[in-house]
Amino acid sequence: MTKTKTATPVHIIQAEPLKLATTPSDLAPFIYFETSANQGFGNGVANITLEALRHRNVDGNIVTDRIVVAHLRMPLSAVLSLKSSIEFILLAATPIKGGSAN
């Protein structure tokens, strides 16, 4: 008598679409910056270094210097998303003829 293989039943499960979390996170940082001093792309990862001015009192004198506040690292898909967001902000901030910005 020979053994025959029986097919294992396959159950197809419909995946749910990804949902964006809408609850706030107290742990997410707020990043303020004034310039992106360095940027690059390598091995599929984009990088941007963000800097801000810092004002300090050193021996009675106000000293201003630039400090790095964040290093952004992202895939190209995130670069495109960030670019789209920036273009939207620039459009919203541009005054319309005879009016003001949004």
Side-chain angles (χ1 to χ4, degrees):
M1 181 177 223
T2 60
K3 286 187 174 183
T4 58
K5 286 188 173 182
T6 57
T8 304
V10 176
H11 299 284
I12 298 174
I13 299 172
Q14 182 67 38
E16 291 188 29
L18 294 175
K19 294 180 183 176
L20 182 64
T22 56
T23 56
S25 171
D26 292 337
L27 301 177
F30 287 89
I31 300 172
Y32 174 82
F33 71 99
E34 294 166 315
T35 188
S36 57
N38 187 8
Q39 54 279 324
F41 187 80
N43 296 324
V45 178
N47 62 79
I48 303 172
T49 303
L50 304 178
E51 294 182 345
L53 293 177
R54 176 175 64 173
H55 309 288
R56 300 179 296 133
N57 185 330
V58 177
D59 298 326
N61 297 311
I62 301 300
V63 176
T64 301
D65 57 359
R66 291 182 349 187
I67 60 169
V68 172
V69 295
H71 302 279
L72 301 181
R73 302 293 185 262
M74 65 200 102
L76 189 55
S77 59
V79 173
L80 295 173
S81 177
L82 181 60
K83 179 180 182 262
S84 176
S85 295
I86 290 170
E87 288 172 346
F88 176 85
I89 291 168
L90 292 172
L91 183 62
T94 303
I96 57 173
K97 201 170 204 172
S100 61
N102 188 10

